[in-house]
Amino acid sequence: MSTKIKLTSLLLSAALVCGAVPAFAAEKAAPKPLSQTFDQMVIIPYDYHGKAFINGEKTDLYGDYDIVQRSGRVLVPIRLMGTLASQFRSQGEWQTIWEAKSPDDVTFVNYGLKKTIKFKVNSTTMLVNNESKKMDVAPQKIGGRVVLPLRSAAEALGKNIQWLDGLIVMGDEVVDEKSAETLAVKNRILTQLKDTRKPVVDEKRLTPITKYGDALYYYKQIYQSSGILQRLYRKTDGKKEILVDIPGEPMLGSDGVIGHDLYFVSTVNNQGVLYALDLTNNKVRKVSTLADWKPSDGWLESISMMDNELYLNLHSGDLTMGSETLYRVDKGVLKKVTNAHSIIGPVKSGDFLYHADFSVMGSAVNNLSRINLKTGERKAIGQADFAYGITRKQDTQGGISFGVNNSMYVKGGNLFVLGYKDSDPKDEGSVYKINPADQTQVKLTPAAGPFWMVDDQIYYVDGATGYLAKTDVNGAQPKTVVSRKVMSAQLLNGSLYYTSNTTGSFSDPGVLYQYDFATGKEIKRSDKPLSSYYIGKDAIYYLANGYDPGIYKIDAKGNTRLVSDRIQTAKLTDEGLVYTLTYKEGVYSVK
């Protein structure tokens, strides 16, 4: 839940906000510059305009909640406090409990920490795991809403709060307020949080698709009582936008650009049709009808070329109970290849196509198949008690989470894929080499996340450490090659690109690195943490959403800032990056 804050008392002293540093902070490490702790903090300005920094990223918060002061203390609404508490990934999820039948009682629960905090309106005693703790000021009802003393609530959550020249800084660390590094970034943070602009409303948002030559392609969503229509537009530099005339009611959110063709599905006379827009001349051609499937049945999951043949995966139904069917386009006709709840992979080798299946609601075991593309014969090639293409993890609260991994490689007649033994609850998934002929398999790695095959080496993210390791195709000579947590990895042009951060969270910004397979060396590529990156033919682009937001380009000249504003969406094309801005309408591009 997001929350917008209206500060009704702006001229509060440092003592009102936090007083002395809480006792629990004395046990923590020495104070650090804000630049080093920025990605672990929640930062809100006194001069509030609907924006905050949360875990290193600028965020727009919505709602109508007031921060107020009473009896010389700052009080915050319960839902805002719960929202802030849940931003600290080191603590896991906090749940806020408030019920109309007990309107004066508020409870925060964190099952992972086995911690419960209870507040009562007009009582200066809070209960932390049923142990009484005194507060300087009691929770109150103001304007019909329960508000909590910020400092006391933060202490109960195990957080430190500091006042820094117009900023409320909340987190696990203590900030060195006098550090030159802190002073260097403080004003840049304040500048970003004083931004009064509002995000572009959904009705006016444009979605970039691609750029070809000097023409930008994007679509608009037109909201009508009967539903949402999508319309494709083209705009060249310095000219007005042009509506591209395409048949029927297209679904453009799952389009795909292959070469100079933009593929998309549309509904024409209640029939699903696959079209291609030739970007060289802006002419549309019909590729194939879509049997009994149409866009209202689901969505186009993917479209790709394998061995110069066009394949498309059509999803029907929702994410939970839906299914997918993979087709090959043959002379304008769809030829069914395979179907599954959710297709993992696939990978083609000769006359065979391999894939796994992932069912959210059903059993995942024995889910690996080989399809004979000539005869259509389908054969299960895994072992009966194993699940493939899936990782399984036990979380700190005792639950189990599953992840899909599309990595599959065929080499020497063997298939290399992730798998875990279902009957072993501790098995999270490792890389296996499978012989499709007799279904024998060899475990090559310990618990692993994503993996990649480069020549005769298998590189994988170690499931225990998060580091990058490698082994050969027989599982021999394992070795750690990068001793840092590897996240958001992409294999391109003979290198592995990845981000890494101190929190180890995929949701937090990270610095970009490149591991060159030929030299075995790691190179730091970005100057600052980034939210996403794109590897182009001649350069690397990345988006930063911290106190120096915008688009950056990495090439032989180093890191260059191309755009100095917050980016909403971006898409890589052969002509550079196509993007939209958070606070300004339009579609733009940089190269």
Side-chain angles (χ1 to χ4, degrees):
M1 173 181 176
S2 296
T3 312
K4 178 182 177 183
I5 312 163
K6 295 186 336 186
L7 295 180
T8 58
S9 302
L10 301 179
L11 301 177
L12 303 180
S13 67
L16 294 181
V17 178
C18 59
V21 175
F24 75 85
E27 301 175 1
K28 294 184 177 292
K32 298 178 182 179
L34 182 56
S35 56
Q36 296 180 19
T37 63
F38 177 71
D39 61 351
Q40 304 167 52
M41 312 295 263
V42 171
I43 304 175
I44 300 174
Y46 265 55
D47 186 13
Y48 187 80
H49 295 290
K51 297 172 178 63
F53 279 110
I54 296 177
N55 297 323
E57 296 207 291
K58 188 177 180 181
T59 305
D60 288 277
L61 305 176
Y62 301 92
D64 188 22
Y65 296 105
D66 297 339
I67 289 180
V68 297
Q69 66 158 316
R70 291 290 188 275
S71 303
R73 291 293 182 266
V74 173
L75 299 104
V76 298
I78 56 173
R79 302 221 178 267
L80 170 60
M81 196 68 235
T83 298
L84 296 179
S86 291
Q87 304 306 319
F88 298 100
R89 308 193 200 287
S90 61
Q91 291 193 338
E93 187 72 22
W94 283 93
Q95 294 187 20
T96 305
I97 300 174
W98 179 87
E99 298 178 346
K101 62 183 181 182
S102 302
D104 293 341
D105 297 326
V106 178
T107 302
F108 290 146
V109 179
N110 188 311
Y111 294 103
L113 297 178
K114 298 180 180 179
K115 191 171 185 178
T116 301
I117 306 169
K118 295 182 179 181
F119 299 90
K120 194 173 189 63
V121 172
N122 296 326
S123 172
T124 56
T125 298
M126 64 177 170
L127 297 177
V128 181
N129 285 352
N130 291 321
E131 181 181 349
S132 297
K133 302 284 186 181
K134 281 295 181 181
M135 299 181 290
D136 293 336
V137 62
Q140 300 177 34
K141 271 189 179 177
I142 298 176
R145 294 172 177 170
V146 177
V147 291
L148 306 175
L150 178 58
R151 178 186 173 188
S152 296
E155 289 184 21
L157 294 169
K159 300 300 173 186
N160 176 64
I161 294 183
Q162 291 173 267
W163 159 253
L164 181 59
D165 193 16
L167 298 173
I168 298 173
V169 182
M170 181 176 174
D172 294 322
E173 303 285 352
V174 178
V175 174
D176 184 348
E177 300 176 15
K178 297 181 180 180
S179 163
E181 293 180 53
T182 297
L183 298 176
V185 303
K186 176 196 56 147
N187 288 335
R188 284 140 73 185
I189 294 172
L190 275 170
T191 297
Q192 292 298 322
L193 295 182
K194 287 180 179 179
D195 188 353
T196 59
R197 295 175 298 170
K198 302 297 182 184
V200 176
V201 297
D202 289 343
E203 290 79 3
K204 294 186 178 181
R205 285 200 186 282
L206 308 179
T207 302
I209 294 178
T210 191
K211 185 177 184 181
Y212 193 85
D214 61 352
L216 285 168
Y217 292 83
Y218 54 92
Y219 71 87
K220 299 179 182 181
Q221 298 209 126
I222 302 171
Y223 295 83
Q224 298 182 337
S225 58
S226 57
I228 300 175
L229 301 178
Q230 296 181 345
R231 293 292 180 259
L232 180 64
Y233 287 83
R234 182 180 78 252
K235 187 178 187 301
T236 54
D237 297 337
K239 297 182 180 180
K240 292 184 179 181
E241 66 180 16
I242 298 173
L243 176 65
V244 180
D245 185 17
I246 54 180
E249 299 299 330
M251 177 185 286
L252 298 168
S254 53
D255 50 79
V257 177
I258 301 176
H260 56 75
D261 285 325
L262 167 63
Y263 291 91
F264 60 92
V265 295
S266 185
T267 303
V268 179
N269 297 324
N270 205 36
Q271 168 73 58
V273 183
L274 175 66
Y275 289 98
L277 171 67
D278 189 332
L279 299 174
T280 64
N281 55 25
N282 291 300
K283 292 183 178 179
V284 177
R285 71 178 187 276
K286 179 179 176 181
V287 178
S288 173
T289 56
L290 300 177
D292 58 352
W293 185 95
K294 54 184 179 295
S296 59
D297 296 331
W299 58 84
L300 174 61
E301 177 66 24
S302 65
I303 184 164
S304 61
M305 284 285 187
M306 290 189 283
D307 290 344
N308 295 316
E309 293 182 305
L310 189 65
Y311 287 79
L312 63 154
N313 181 359
L314 299 177
H315 188 104
S316 300
D318 60 16
L319 283 171
T320 303
M321 301 298 292
S323 63
E324 295 177 357
T325 304
L326 182 68
Y327 295 93
R328 177 172 55 89
V329 181
D330 183 11
K331 298 178 182 179
V333 178
L334 291 190
K335 301 291 187 180
K336 180 180 175 181
V337 177
T338 186
N339 67 288
H341 289 285
S342 180
I343 297 173
I344 302 173
V347 61
K348 184 176 181 289
S349 178
D351 293 332
F352 296 100
L353 183 137
Y354 301 83
H355 76 90
D357 183 8
F358 179 57
S359 174
V360 176
M361 303 299 291
S363 173
V365 297
N366 200 21
N367 66 333
L368 189 62
S369 299
R370 184 182 72 175
I371 313 297
N372 187 318
L373 295 175
K374 285 188 173 181
T375 66
E377 178 191 8
R378 180 172 184 161
K379 177 184 178 182
I381 60 171
Q383 296 191 3
D385 193 28
F386 275 75
Y388 300 93
I390 303 170
T391 56
R392 176 177 64 177
K393 285 191 176 295
Q394 301 254 358
D395 61 38
T396 56
Q397 298 182 13
I400 300 176
S401 61
F402 297 89
V404 170
N405 187 285
N406 285 292
S407 297
M408 287 186 185
Y409 297 88
V410 179
K411 190 177 183 67
N414 295 306
L415 177 69
F416 296 80
V417 64
L418 279 176
Y420 67 84
K421 190 173 184 178
D422 187 67
S423 59
D424 181 359
K426 295 182 179 180
D427 191 357
E428 295 185 343
S430 304
V431 180
Y432 282 85
K433 178 171 66 174
I434 299 174
N435 184 340
D438 58 13
Q439 299 179 228
T440 58
Q441 63 184 32
V442 179
K443 183 177 180 179
L444 304 180
T445 71
F451 79 97
W452 305 265
M453 179 170 282
V454 181
D455 298 325
D456 290 325
Q457 297 292 310
I458 295 172
Y459 291 82
Y460 62 95
V461 177
D462 186 276
T465 64
Y467 298 166
L468 182 65
K470 72 173 183 177
T471 188
D472 66 17
V473 292
N474 297 311
Q477 300 178 328
K479 178 184 178 181
T480 298
V481 296
V482 171
S483 296
R484 71 174 77 250
K485 290 187 179 297
V486 170
M487 299 174 290
S488 302
Q490 297 183 42
L491 176 64
L492 286 167
N493 305 326
S495 291
L496 189 70
Y497 297 86
Y498 51 91
T499 63
S500 189
N501 57 39
T502 56
T503 64
S505 170
F506 286 83
S507 301
D508 292 342
V511 173
L512 180 65
Y513 293 88
Q514 175 186 354
Y515 180 81
D516 184 273
F517 293 114
T519 64
K521 293 183 178 179
E522 182 190 53
I523 308 165
K524 181 180 177 181
R525 300 309 308 264
S526 70
D527 288 342
K528 51 180 54 61
L530 53 91
S531 58
S532 57
Y533 67 94
Y534 309 84
I535 311 298
K537 294 185 300 183
D538 303 314
I540 302 169
Y541 303 89
Y542 67 88
L543 311 184
N545 202 16
Y547 44 75
D548 294 321
I551 297 176
Y552 291 77
K553 178 181 180 180
I554 306 172
D555 56 16
K557 298 178 182 178
N559 284 237
T560 305
R561 194 180 188 185
L562 302 179
V563 180
S564 302
D565 204 349
R566 186 177 169 195
I567 308 302
Q568 179 67 26
T569 58
K571 203 163 189 179
L572 181 66
T573 75
D574 289 342
E575 303 292 339
L577 211 62
V578 180
Y579 67 94
T580 59
L581 297 167
T582 300
Y583 306 115
K584 184 178 178 181
E585 295 178 27
V587 176
Y588 310 89
S589 67
V590 288
K591 190 170 184 177

